[in-house]
Structure formats: C-alpha cells, structure tokens
Amino acid sequence: MTDSAATLPAYEDVLEAAARIAPHAHATPVLCSRSLDALAGCELHFKAEPLQRGGAFKFRGACNAVWALDDATARAGVVTHSSGNHGAALALAARTRGIACHVVVPEGAVAAKLAAIRAYGATLHPCAPTIQARETRCAEVQATTGASLVHPYTDPRVIAGQGTAALELLATVPDLDTLVAPVGGGGLIGGTAIAAAARAPGCRVIGAEPAGAAETFASLQRGERVTDFTPDTVCDGLRGTLGAPNFALLQRHGVQVLTATDARTVAAMRLLWQRTKLLVEPSSAVALAIVLAHPEVFARQRVGIILSGGNVDLDALPALFARAEDAA
C-alpha cells in the first residue's frame, strides 16, 4: 500500500494492521446491558474503546501508521494536527517506537486532551481553530523537522488501523445485523465499513453524527462532500471535515448516517455511565444516541456499537451539561 492519502485501504490492509499493532494495542472488551437493551428495543453490544491505550480507538490507527514506517523515515519523527485524541494517540505510538512527535493543536481544544498529548512526550504547536490553519501549520512543522505526516483520518494506514476495532467486534459477535460508529473525519467509520464488508457482508454500517456537525449526512444526501460548514456541537472529536477518501469509502460500502442532538447525546452519555459503568465522552455517546433517537431503524436487531473514547474533561462537565440542557 502506498502512503498517498488518496489510496483507499482494503481488507488486507486491515488484517496487516491487526498483526502490526497486536504487540502494542489492547484487544478491548465487548460490553452488554440488559437495561439498555430494553430501552433501545434491540440487543446492544458495545466495543469498549475507552479502555484502549490512550483512552480511545485512535491509538489503533496511529500505532499502525508509526510502525509501518521504515527505520530511516521513522528517525525524523511524525507530525499531525489534532483536537486531542489522535494527537495523544500518535504521541503514545511514537513513544513506543522511540521517535519524536509533533502535534498541531487548535485554540480551544479540551484541556484534558492537551495534557495527555504533553504527557506522552509530544511537542505542541498551537494554531487558529480552523481546518485550514491546522493544515498550514502542519506543513510548516513538517518542512522544518522532516517529520512524516500522519493525517488523523485520511491516511490509509490510519483508516486500516481504525478498522481493527470492528474486526475484533465481529470476531466476538459475528452475527450482527447493524454496526454503528461515530463519524467525524471518517477514519473510524471508513475502517469499520471495510471490515464489515469482508467479515459480515449482510451487516449494515451506520454512522452516528451530531446534528450540529452533520456534514457527512449532508454529503451523502448530495452525493458530494460538503465542506463549507461551521460545527456547533459538544462532540469536540467530531468537528472535523469528512475526508475525501473517507467519503469514497462510505459511498462504496453504502454507509448510512443518522444524527442526534447534543441533548440526546449527553443523555446517552449519562446512561452509559450509569448502566455500563464505562466513562465515555460525548463524541462516543452519539453512537448510542442515534440508536435511541431512531428506534424504528434498529428494532429487534443485534446491534454492535463502537464506543470510540472516554477522554472527558471532568472539570468542564457542569458547563457541558448546562449547554446540552439549553439546547434541549
């Protein structure tokens, strides 16, 4: 497989990623809750990626990208832009290989996530809170350091690595009717679609997106990527723009996207905390929120849900709850 972001990964790449990251990543558990099944009207199987290294599925893709580098390239380090989880994941993956990591971070990123990036030893480079500013600053750092770019969601090695979560889920629960994963830039949902098409071709794949950042939903409706939007959602990890290769994967595999309001997402987050005792962030809880918001779509099915991460800024919870209540 080439390093071009335009190259779409295939199932073989997901299998190679699974073998590559096996010495470093956790095989996370699958959780169930009878009380949530009763609320949803279907049988739910939660892939618990908050228990992944770094607290999110992002370590899978970052680890695959870092360990796919040849030794000479790796010595110059890696660089990315991230609002939090991918930056922390890449920093941790780089540390497992003993190489430098540079992370371009937008102003206003969640404090807990920035602290994690620093703790894993990365160098932070602040920028304005726009995708264009992120990419421009990233290119500057790359030119200065010679580091290899590991894009948070369009890099084919990252997409393949993210697909290993679905691969594990389908190995544990092979007869799912539907598989749900959050949608931001599209790395997780793209990798999930690849894995599901090969391992469970009869399984639908549905992306979960916040209503305040529903450009993927709009893109699939229009048949072309929608990029001129301003996200407004508490799901900070899902504010990125859907990548071009990710959009192509969603179209290729017939992925559907459903949305949920922030109020529903925060309510789902509370439910997950209460019923599974698992700490999840809003960007993760949106996957349960869309199931509860659209019961007719999932009724009496066996549904797999990838809970993508649990990096919550606990100090910011009162403001988050207040914002969700205002939006209700």
Side-chain angles (χ1 to χ4, degrees):
M1 183 173 65
T2 71
D3 290 346
S4 169
T7 302
L8 298 182
Y11 181 57
E12 292 74 17
D13 299 309
V14 178
L15 294 178
E16 289 176 8
R20 187 176 288 122
I21 71 175
H24 311 286
H26 297 321
T28 54
V30 177
L31 308 179
C32 297
S33 167
R34 291 180 181 177
S35 63
L36 289 178
D37 289 354
L39 279 174
C42 56
E43 185 178 307
L44 303 172
H45 300 267
F46 298 101
K47 182 64 169 165
E49 286 298 288
L51 301 179
Q52 186 53 260
R53 293 186 69 178
F57 77 96
K58 294 280 191 177
F59 181 72
R60 296 174 179 274
C63 186
N64 187 49
V66 163
W67 284 96
L69 296 171
D70 62 70
D71 290 342
T73 304
R75 278 193 288 271
V78 289
V79 60
T80 194
H81 60 79
S82 170
S83 61
N85 281 343
H86 174 69
L90 189 64
L92 177 56
R95 193 172 75 176
T96 68
R97 194 163 179 182
I99 63 176
C101 178
H102 301 270
V103 182
V104 173
V105 296
E107 298 167 2
V110 175
K113 295 182 179 181
L114 295 183
I117 297 172
R118 291 192 188 92
Y120 291 133
T123 301
L124 272 62
H125 304 267
C127 72
T130 66
I131 295 297
Q132 184 58 53
R134 290 189 191 194
E135 293 179 349
T136 298
R137 187 75 179 107
C138 218
E140 292 170 354
V141 173
Q142 187 178 14
T144 301
T145 63
S148 295
L149 175 65
V150 179
H151 193 278
Y153 46 83
T154 64
D155 189 310
R157 301 161 300 187
V158 169
I159 298 170
Q162 316 306 29
T164 62
L167 194 68
E168 290 176 11
L169 175 54
L170 290 166
T172 304
V173 191
D175 52 351
L176 292 175
D177 298 303
T178 303
L179 212 169
V180 180
V183 181
L188 177 60
I189 195 67
T192 296
I194 294 168
R199 289 296 298 264
C203 178
R204 288 186 307 175
V205 176
I206 296 181
E209 193 168 40
E215 88 285 356
T216 303
F217 177 85
S219 296
L220 291 173
Q221 292 292 310
R222 292 189 195 178
E224 61 182 9
R225 285 172 67 225
V226 174
T227 58
D228 56 340
F229 78 102
T230 301
D232 181 17
T233 176
V234 297
C235 301
D236 63 280
L238 305 181
R239 295 172 184 160
T241 303
L242 179 70
N246 314 87
F247 180 51
L249 283 170
L250 268 58
Q251 288 187 307
R252 172 181 292 184
H253 294 291
V255 174
Q256 180 184 0
V257 171
L258 297 174
T259 67
T261 63
D262 280 354
R264 285 186 176 274
T265 295
V266 172
M269 183 177 72
R270 285 179 180 269
L271 278 172
L272 285 163
W273 292 1
Q274 292 166 347
R275 308 297 172 89
T276 69
K277 313 308 177 187
L278 183 70
L279 185 67
V280 299
E281 60 190 278
S283 298
S284 177
V286 69
L288 175 59
I290 67 118
V291 174
L292 297 176
H294 303 275
E296 72 286 353
V297 176
F298 303 95
R300 298 179 297 281
Q301 294 184 21
R302 289 167 61 85
V303 180
I305 294 180
I306 299 179
L307 296 176
S308 53
N311 293 314
V312 178
D313 186 350
L314 297 177
D315 293 334
L317 283 180
L320 185 151
F321 290 142
R323 178 176 172 182
E325 289 171 3
D326 289 343

